[in-house]
Amino acid sequence: MLGSDSPPAYVSERAPEGGSSRRWIVFVHQDGIILSTTVWALGELGILRASLDGDRRLSELYPAVTPGGFAYLRVGLRCLASQGWLEAPPTDDPGTTVVRWSATGRAVAPYLDRYVAAGAFLAGFDRRDDDAWSRPWDPRQVATYGELAELAADRWRLGPELTPELRALVTTHLDATLVVPAMLRLLETGQIGEDGPLLAIAGLGPAI
């Protein structure tokens, strides 16, 4: 996703009617994990909302940026640009990097709070231990997962103004933020059998 300044081909594709393209889902799930954590981080830094209020240089949006911090911000902004959400990718200088949202980015903007919430949830999985994914989730993570799952069941409550293609992209991005951690947990606890995952009968069960 980060290797090009233009959206990859699969971004403009629509998941096939009546079925699913594994290639499309895998790539868009990958994007969803990166985008949600990126959007959450931009929100934490105060950049997200300010950038949506008008085109501004990154040095104005975040004057405290350091050279090392700018390197990370460039990666994040390139993530947004790769989806076609920004008019242009970042330059090599925060003083000349203008965060200018595209028409597609502004269409998604009313729903960025979903990405922020999902990104905050994923950011809670910050352990680097070998057994990090086999440990039970804490009560806060379980509660947040349940809240996000309710949104997902309602297809993230996206408005009718989104095109079918953009709706499919956004819902698949956000679905990934629930699917990936759950699958990692099931995998690391040996609860994925030959016929699929061994899910709890009620609630999230002991797997979580």
Side-chain angles (χ1 to χ4, degrees):
M1 182 179 73
L2 302 178
S4 172
D5 294 340
S6 58
Y10 62 84
V11 168
S12 60
E13 295 175 4
R14 185 181 178 187
E17 295 289 347
S20 61
S21 161
R22 288 186 180 179
R23 173 181 181 271
W24 190 87
I25 290 174
V26 166
F27 278 113
V28 177
H29 272 190
Q30 172 185 281
D31 287 358
I33 296 296
I34 297 172
L35 284 166
S36 59
T37 49
T38 295
V39 171
W40 166 75
L42 292 176
E44 288 289 291
L45 293 172
I47 295 173
L48 183 62
R49 184 51 53 190
S51 69
L52 287 164
D53 289 340
D55 302 344
R56 295 170 63 185
R57 294 192 300 272
L58 185 59
S59 58
E60 298 172 351
L61 292 168
Y62 193 61
V65 63
T66 63
F70 177 58
Y72 287 108
L73 282 171
R74 285 192 76 239
V75 173
L77 293 175
R78 283 179 65 85
C79 288
L80 301 183
S82 75
Q83 296 294 305
W85 292 3
L86 299 182
E87 291 287 354
T91 68
D92 294 330
D93 187 332
T96 57
T97 293
V98 177
V99 183
R100 181 178 294 113
W101 291 80
S102 66
T104 299
R106 291 198 173 276
V108 173
Y111 308 105
L112 289 177
D113 61 335
R114 279 71 158 169
Y115 286 84
V116 170
F121 169 66
L122 292 175
F125 297 99
D126 56 356
R127 300 184 67 96
R128 298 177 182 272
D129 307 344
D130 291 341
D131 63 345
W133 284 105
S134 62
R135 296 182 180 182
W137 297 2
D138 66 42
R140 176 185 52 81
Q141 289 173 312
V142 173
T144 301
Y145 189 92
E147 293 167 1
L148 292 173
E150 287 186 9
L151 270 176
D154 202 13
R155 303 321 293 133
W156 300 96
R157 297 174 192 161
L158 304 180
E161 77 283 0
L162 295 181
T163 65
E165 291 78 10
L166 193 53
R167 178 182 296 275
L169 195 66
V170 171
T171 54
T172 308
H173 281 160
L174 295 170
D175 285 347
T177 65
L178 300 181
V179 171
V180 171
M183 291 299 289
L184 285 171
R185 168 67 181 168
L186 291 170
L187 179 65
E188 290 301 311
T189 54
Q191 296 187 81
I192 296 183
E194 293 183 3
D195 297 325
L198 307 176
L199 301 178
I201 296 176
L204 296 182
I208 300 299

